[in-house]
Amino acid sequence: MRERSGNRVSFRTTALLLYGLLAASPAIAQEMTTSLVDVHQGSPLSDRARGLGDGGYELQNGSWVSFTQWYHANWVDMHVDLLTQITQDTGILWGFGTGEEGEKYRIEPSLKLGFLTQMHPGPNSTLSLSLTTTLGGKLTEKPCEANYGDLGTYSVNCRLAASEMAPEETLKYLVNAKPESQHLWLNYRVTF
């Protein structure tokens, strides 16, 4: 819960900063243009989900259960990043991620908000600063129902169902991961 409130504070701070810039000059809103910065599929969390599909286990009857089918998605998380230019040297960075889902995992959709500004300390140099916050995009792994014969049926971590661990103990190892949520870039460029 604490991390989630931190994201709300960051979101509020970014939103207030952007509102302040737009409210400062009504003429700015009329001059704004939006450009596509990046479109890509996949992320470190998508890669991690794919990695969960490595391996498998053998059932009591000798048949093999592969994890691949559980950690495969027909759609890989797509990210679109845009820049809305407010002035020649400032802009709003924003975008979204579509999320993805397999049989035993889910990556939530995400929203990116941020700010970019630059200044020119010299005729051939540019100093730029950007800050972005990402909301959502969390990877969660889903449990399985495993039948242990005379012992009964339990909710378990699918990947650990055949381990010697007690079924309820395997649930502690379900993946629950958040993406990198805040980025700060400072860049200084000199051209010769």
Side-chain angles (χ1 to χ4, degrees), residues 45-56:
L45 290 182
S46 290
D47 294 343
R48 184 168 180 188
R50 227 77 54 245
L52 295 173
D54 295 342

Side-chain angles (χ1 to χ4, degrees), residues 55-67 158-159 161-163:
Y57 54 82
E58 192 174 307
L59 296 174
Q60 206 170 24
N61 66 9
S63 61
W64 180 254
V65 176
S66 172
F67 298 156
C158 307
R159 297 173 292 110
S163 70

Side-chain angles (χ1 to χ4, degrees), residues 156-157 160 165 167-176:
V156 297
N157 180 321
L160 300 175
M165 199 179 296
E168 59 276 0
E169 289 294 312
T170 65
L171 295 174
K172 293 179 188 176
Y173 299 97
L174 288 171
V175 173
N176 189 3

